[in-house]
Structures are given as C-alpha cells and as structure tokens.
Amino acid sequence: MNVSDEIYAGFKGVSEASAPQTNVFARVTNWITNKYKKLVTSMSPAFMIRNAIRDLQDAGLNSKHPLLFAKSLSRAWVELVNNSENWQTYRAYGGFGSTVFDSKGVSKYVDSRGFEILGIKDRIESDKELSLSDIKYLKALFVGVENVNAAVEQIPRFAEYLASIEAGETIEQAIYNSAEVTTNFGRRGATTKQLNSTIIPFLNPAIQGFSKMIRNIASIRSAKDFISL
C-alpha cells in the first residue's frame, strides 16, 4: 500500500521496537518485572478484593454521571456475565485498552467463560484425576483467577460506559469516560513506560493516579472560573 510520507512516519513511530525489545538488560528486567506484577495483581485472589474496593472508591469520585454509575453497577455485572451486546460493543471499541491486565490475553475470555477455571471443567467431567503437580492444571488455575480478576476490574469501567451511554453521550466518549473513571493504565509517557516495565514496577499507576487528582482539581477550578464569568 502506498501512503504519504507523513502517514508512514506516524505508523513508523507507533511500530518501532521499544527499548525492552532491543536492549538485552531491558528485555531481562522487563520479563522479570512482568512476572512479578502478574503474581501480585492479576494472578492473586487477594488483589481481587483490594482492587475492587479501590476502584469503586475512585469511580465514585471520578464518574461523570455518579447517580447513573451507581445504578449501572449491578447491570454491568449481569451484562458482562451474559456477554450482552453492550459488553461486546464495549470490548470492540477498546474497553480493555486502559486495564492493568494483559488485554490481549484476557479480553476474549472475560464474559461467562471468565468464571470457569479454564481447562478444569472438562477434566472433572471426564473423571480424570487432578494433581497439584499437573502443570496444565496449575496454568488453568492461574488463567481462571486472572480472568475473574479482569472481570472484577472491568465492572466499574463498564458501569461508567453504560452510564455515559444512558446520559446520551457517544460510544467514543463513553469509552473515554470508562478509561478515566479509575486509573487509566493506557496513559503513559516514553520514559515512564520504560521505567515501569523494567526497574520500577507500578511507577506508571502511581503517576497516573496523581495526574488524575491534579486534573480533577484543575477541572473544578475551571468550572468555578466559568461560573464566575
């Protein structure tokens, strides 16, 4: 396909290999950091509880439509489990783009299948003996925990999406609102991205949480200035 030099330059910047792919030290530290972060977040049942409480608190403060958001929480859970049309649209428009989880790995499973420990159900029904030394069993267990964790993390985001749609906003704006209602892990700068993925795990979430607080304060200040006019 022939495209203009400007378009090519834009795509080239997006597709160029980052430091973790080109530098041996960065590749090694990136691999170790990713495994560590997964163990203490997506693969941890305890994280499910902590994350749910924190996200609900953040969403209550950050929601653009707090009353509709509160009303949409139970609806979001039901629609997610039943893989509704709204949930499919939310996923198709990039609803997983702001998650802490590996969106490519979990997004296709987080619906009704996300509540099954993948691979174990069939083994139980076939009367095959399960063993903790069975690598496939352990992998399926971790995948199951990760999927449920991802589902729990998506509830406040999806609820904000539903609230925004009900308030008459466009799908694109609703997706943006859902990303910003809790920590938006899709936001990151070049330097923070490299540090977060190598030697300082969870640096980016800390920065984004602080950034969101500043933006909230700034928006309140702007609104007061506008009213005073």
Side-chain angles (χ1 to χ4, degrees), residues 12-176:
K12 185 171 182 291
V14 171
S15 61
E16 281 180 339
S18 58
Q21 296 171 312
T22 58
N23 179 281
V24 174
F25 171 77
R27 283 205 307 270
V28 172
T29 54
N30 182 47
W31 184 87
I32 294 173
T33 299
N34 281 340
K35 299 303 180 188
Y36 166 73
K37 288 193 290 189
K38 274 199 166 189
L39 285 174
V40 299
T41 57
S42 62
M43 292 182 176
S44 168
F47 178 75
M48 189 186 310
I49 300 172
R50 296 197 310 271
N51 195 43
I53 295 172
R54 182 178 62 245
D55 282 356
L56 285 174
Q57 291 174 336
D58 288 347
L61 295 173
N62 297 331
S63 175
K64 287 187 65 177
H65 313 283
L67 295 180
L68 289 175
F69 168 80
K71 189 176 73 171
S72 298
L73 277 172
S74 58
R75 176 186 167 196
W77 182 265
V78 172
E79 292 207 23
L80 183 153
V81 173
N82 290 291
N83 197 24
S84 71
E85 184 176 344
N86 281 326
W87 173 244
Q88 292 179 43
T89 301
Y90 171 80
R91 290 193 301 176
Y93 273 80
F96 275 86
S98 56
T99 179
V100 65
F101 300 97
D102 179 4
S103 59
K104 294 180 180 178
V106 301
S107 61
K108 61 183 177 180
Y109 294 118
V110 180
D111 46 43
S112 57
R113 291 190 63 191
F115 298 91
E116 297 175 4
I117 299 178
L118 303 183
I120 295 181
K121 182 179 179 182
D122 293 337
R123 291 168 62 81
I124 293 175
E125 292 176 349
S126 63
D127 294 327
K128 290 183 179 179
E129 183 178 353
L130 299 178
S131 170
L132 289 178
S133 62
D134 188 330
I135 296 178
K136 291 182 179 179
Y137 167 69
L138 290 175
K139 181 180 179 180
L141 179 62
F142 281 122
V143 169
V145 171
E146 185 172 19
N147 287 337
V148 176
N149 249 323
V152 170
E153 196 252 5
Q154 285 297 314
I155 293 299
R157 299 186 190 276
F158 186 40
E160 180 69 6
Y161 169 83
L162 294 174
S164 299
I165 293 296
E166 189 173 343
E169 301 200 52
T170 64
I171 292 177
E172 291 81 7
Q173 184 61 48
I175 288 292
Y176 176 79

